[in-house]
Amino acid sequence: MSAPRTIGIGILGFGTVGQGVWKHLTDKKADLESRLGVKIDLRKVALRDPKKSRAIKISKSKITKNAYEVIDDPNVHVVCELIGGTTKAKEFTLRALNQGKVVVSANKALLCGHGPEIFKAVRKHGGQFLFEASVAGGIPIIKAIREGLAANRFELIVGILNGTCNHILTRMGEDGLSFADALKEAQELGYAEADPTLDVDGIDAWHKASILAWLAHGKWAPANRTLVEGIRNIGPADIDFARRFGFALKHLAVIQRNFEKNWMTVGVYPALVPNRDILARVSGVNNGITLRGDVVGATTLAGRGAGGDATASAVIGDIVDAIAALTGNSKQGLSGDDLVAREKQGLEVRMGDLDEIISPFYLRLSLLDKAGVSEGVYKIFSKHKVSIARVIQYEHPNKGRGTVTLSTYPVSERKMDAVLKELRRLKTVLEEPFLLRIFNPES
Ligand code: NDP
Ligand code: HSE
C-alpha cells in the first residue's frame, strides 16, 4: 500500500488542550509539512457545544457534534482524543484503533484504566496509540524512557507529576494563598482536570505514575497496591516546619524498583523535599522527574506540566511521529513486539510490601495541653523503635490544645503505621494525625 501524501488530522475535544493543538498545528503547519514531506490536513474538530465561546475561532464547516464523523472519515488518519474521561473517550479510542488508525491521546485516566485493552486493539488492527501528553505536560518523558534512556534499568523514578498540585503548593507556601484560592487560580489557568478532585486527591498523579511504572517495568500499578494521597490537608504548621528545616512541600510520585527481589512500589503523596534537591526548585505549574538509571545515573527533566500550550507541544510531537511512521519514514510507537516484551517483563515483577518502603516521616499532632502528654506520645515511638529527629511545639494559649510537628529517621511504612494506630487510640491525641513522607535523595 502506498503511503498517503496528505495526512488528515481529526481532533476530538476543543477545550484547553484541543484548542492549543489546533492553534500551534496551524501556526507550524508549513514548517512541519516541509520537514515531513507531506500535506497536513486539519480536517475536523468534534465538540459538545458549538455555541460555547472559545479563544480559538474556527470555521463552522470544520466543527461537528458527532465524534464519529471525525473518527470514521476515511481521510482522517490520526485521531487526537482530547475530550477526557473514560467512557466516551474509551469508545472513541477503540473505534479509531479498530479501524487501524493512529490515536494520539492526552488521557492518562483512560490509559491507566484500560491500557491492556487499548494495546490489544493496537496489536490486532496494526494502528498506534501515542500518549506523550498523558504524563508531565510538555516534558517528553515517555520518549525519554522509551528511546533516549533505553539502555537503563530504573531503580527509582521520582517526580512532581501534577501541575495543579504544584501550583497550589507553591502559591500557598510562597505567597500565602489559601488552598481554595490557589485551586481556583489553577482552574482558571486551564491546569486542573474537569473534576479537580482528581488533581488534589492524587488520582491524576497516580494515573501518570502507573503509566511510567508500566513503561519502565512492564507492570501497571493497581490502585489497591498504590499509596495515593492528595494535598487537601496541608496546613500552615506543615508549611512552617518545611520552611524552618530547609524543605519544600511537594506532591511526589515515587516508583521504586528492587531488581534483586523483583518488587516494585508506587506511591503518590505530599512529601518534604530537601531544598538541596533539584525537585525542591520545581515550582508553580512545572513538573520535574528524576530518573535514576543504572547506566546514566540520575537525570532530571523539568518543564511545564499542564496548560494548553505545553500539552499541545507533546500532542504535536506525537502527531509528527505518527506522520513519519505513516509515510514510512520511521517506525514509531509501541510495536506489537515491544508490547509483548513489556507484558512478559511485567509478569516477573511483584508489588513490594510495607516493610520494603522506607523513608523518614513527618507528623503533625494536635495534643491535649496537659503535663505528661508528650511523654505518652514519645513512648509509642520508642516502643516501635522509631527515632525522632526534630520536634516543634506550638502552644495555643487558652485553647487547651497544642500542635506538635516532628520528623523521624528512616523507618518502614509498616512501623510508622503501627505508631499511627497506637497514637489514634490515645485520648490526648485530639485529631487524626497528619503524616508526610520526607524524600531522601540519598536513599
Ligand atoms: P476540557 O474540559 O478543557 O476540554 C474537553 C473538550 O472535550 C471540550 O471541548 C468538550 O466540548 C469536549 N467533549 C467532551 N465530551 C465530548 C464528546 N462526547 N464529544 C465531543 N466532544 C466532547 O479538557 P482539557 O482540554 O483540559 O483536557 C482534555 C484531556 O487532556 C483530558 O484527558 C486531560 O486529562 C488531558 N490533559 C489536560 C491537560 C491540561 O493542562 N488541561 C494537560 C495534559 C493532559 P465542549 O467544549 O463543547 O464542552
Ligand atoms: N490536571 C493535570 C495537572 C493536567 O494539573 O497536572 C496535566 O496532566
Side-chain angles (χ1 to χ4, degrees), residues 106 108 133-137 161-165 190-193 199 204 208 285 287 305-307 311:
K108 50 269 168 166
S134 67
V135 183
L161 297 183
N162 186 274
T164 300
C165 284
Y191 303 156
E193 295 300 301
D199 296 292
D204 178 75
K208 293 165 175 167
V285 70
N287 284 188
T311 313

Side-chain angles (χ1 to χ4, degrees), residues 43 51 107 113 128 132 190 194 212 219 261 263 281 301 318 386 410 440:
R43 285 187 71 79
K51 295 208 177 81
N107 194 333
Q128 280 192 61
E132 185 62 69
L212 293 185
K219 192 171 187 74
K261 297 185 180 153
W263 55 253
R281 278 167 273 145
L301 290 92
D318 275 351
V386 175
N440 182 1

Side-chain angles (χ1 to χ4, degrees), residues 13-18 46-49 52 54 82-84 88 92 106-108 133 190-191 193 306-307 311:
F14 208 53
T16 304
V17 182
L47 42 70
R48 266 180 315 206
D49 178 5
K52 206 189 253 184
R54 296 171 207 265
L82 306 171
I83 66 172
K88 283 283 167 194
F92 296 160
N107 194 333
K108 50 269 168 166
Y191 303 156
E193 295 300 301
T311 313

Side-chain angles (χ1 to χ4, degrees), residues 292-320:
R292 203 185 290 159
D294 57 345
V295 182
V296 74
T299 290
T300 301
L301 290 92
R304 274 195 286 167
D309 294 337
T311 313
S313 167
V315 171
I316 294 170
D318 275 351
I319 292 174
V320 168

Side-chain angles (χ1 to χ4, degrees), residues 23-247:
K23 173 177 183 282
H24 294 292
L25 202 49
T26 306
D27 288 352
K28 299 282 158 61
K29 191 166 160 301
D31 186 27
L32 292 174
E33 284 178 339
S34 86
R35 269 166 55 188
L36 293 161
V38 290
K39 286 268 162 226
I40 296 173
D41 181 10
L42 266 163
R43 285 187 71 79
K44 216 156 208 164
V45 168
L47 42 70
R48 266 180 315 206
D49 178 5
K51 295 208 177 81
K52 206 189 253 184
S53 151
R54 296 171 207 265
I56 303 296
K57 313 283 175 212
I58 52 176
S59 126
K60 270 191 189 158
S61 66
K62 293 273 183 192
I63 294 174
T64 176
K65 276 172 70 177
N66 179 2
Y68 294 170
E69 248 185 67
V70 176
I71 301 165
D72 298 345
D73 177 346
N75 292 314
V76 166
H77 307 94
V78 179
V79 176
C80 301
E81 187 279 289
L82 306 171
I83 66 172
T86 52
T87 311
K88 283 283 167 194
K90 180 179 166 203
E91 185 202 324
F92 296 160
T93 296
L94 290 177
R95 191 177 175 106
L97 291 176
N98 289 342
Q99 297 176 42
K101 296 196 175 189
V102 178
V103 174
V104 171
S105 175
N107 194 333
K108 50 269 168 166
L110 177 69
L111 181 52
C112 178
H114 303 282
E117 202 179 336
I118 287 170
F119 289 120
K120 196 171 158 198
V122 169
R123 285 211 295 264
K124 186 163 175 200
H125 300 282
Q128 280 192 61
F129 183 80
L130 303 175
F131 50 95
E132 185 62 69
S134 67
V135 183
I139 305 171
I141 182 66
I142 308 288
K143 221 180 210 317
I145 293 179
R146 282 189 39 224
E147 297 177 20
L149 298 170
N152 293 270
R153 299 202 304 177
F154 300 102
E155 64 174 37
L156 176 71
I157 301 177
V158 53
I160 295 164
L161 297 183
N162 186 274
T164 300
C165 284
N166 209 38
H167 176 85
I168 293 172
L169 292 176
T170 305
R171 295 288 276 147
M172 284 171 72
E174 290 178 13
D175 309 311
L177 249 69
S178 70
F179 173 85
D181 286 346
L183 170 59
K184 192 162 167 266
E185 217 177 55
Q187 288 178 291
E188 284 163 4
L189 291 163
Y191 303 156
E193 295 300 301
D195 171 5
T197 59
L198 293 174
D199 296 292
V200 298
D201 290 336
I203 319 284
D204 178 75
W206 161 56
H207 291 152
K208 293 165 175 167
S210 185
I211 293 170
L212 293 185
W214 172 74
L215 263 180
H217 307 303
K219 192 171 187 74
W220 297 99
N224 64 355
R225 298 299 307 274
T226 308
L227 183 69
V228 181
E229 288 176 7
I231 60 165
R232 278 180 203 271
N233 295 327
I234 285 175
D238 314 317
I239 292 169
D240 184 52
F241 186 97
R243 197 175 291 137
R244 284 198 207 200
F245 292 115
F247 293 104

Side-chain angles (χ1 to χ4, degrees), residues 315-332:
V315 171
I316 294 170
D318 275 351
I319 292 174
V320 168
D321 278 356
I323 294 176
L326 287 168
T327 52
N329 288 334
S330 73
K331 184 170 167 288
Q332 297 288 342

